[in-house]
Amino acid sequence: MKPINAEETVRVFHGWLEEADSLAEREAIECCIDHIQDTPAVSQQELRSYMLPWFDPFAAPWSGKIQRAFPRAYVNMNKELILVPRSNTYVSISRCCTPDEFKAAIIENCSRLASKGYSKPLRKEHLEGVNKLLDTNFTQEDMEYIYTYLGNGIRRELCMKFVQSGYDLGVIDEGLQAKDGQA
């Protein structure tokens, strides 16, 4: 993996600087040169990761998993993935740029009804849907705990850590203890 050569890039920009026609163009090029020199070097692979296409929940395998977990799911004109129409349980897919963000949004938006739904069938539909979609085996008690500390997006960063840990409930405890230690 070859790192991007900032010196070579700066040399190219200096060539453009010599050909600049206006003061505004010169200032813009100088600003770019300063930024390149101030920014730490990144590898080509790291740069490519920033340029990858956005996460698409409708691409395989996600579209099939969503349909199996929530058979009545659909997308409305506001780019909301309506998972359970009768309870209007939805995820705003415009906020989800990565699979982990999508998973976190599922947890944040489905945990309440999976733990405290209005009826047993509704709780069961949400809990089973979350478990199928995320390949988990949460119980209703797990979902109550998750909803209490992560539901409705109240701790987004902690929810992301929870997802990235493979849904380790201990991560929630650690995050809460760390927050209490700072207070």
Side-chain angles (χ1 to χ4, degrees), residues 92-128:
S92 177
I93 54 177
S94 60
R95 287 183 36 211
C96 302
C97 301
T98 67
D100 285 347
E101 288 178 355
F102 179 69
K103 293 172 186 178
I106 293 293
I107 288 169
E108 291 169 343
N109 294 307
C110 294
S111 59
R112 182 181 189 286
L113 289 174
S115 64
K116 302 174 185 237
Y118 310 114
S119 65
K120 271 189 176 184
L122 192 61
R123 281 192 301 270
K124 181 180 179 191
E125 182 177 8
H126 281 77
L127 182 61
E128 287 179 357

Side-chain angles (χ1 to χ4, degrees), residues 62 65 103 129-138 166-167:
W62 284 102
K65 288 181 84 167
K103 293 172 186 178
V130 169
N131 281 330
K132 281 181 188 175
L133 185 58
L134 302 180
D135 297 319
T136 55
N137 196 19
F138 293 128
Y167 312 106

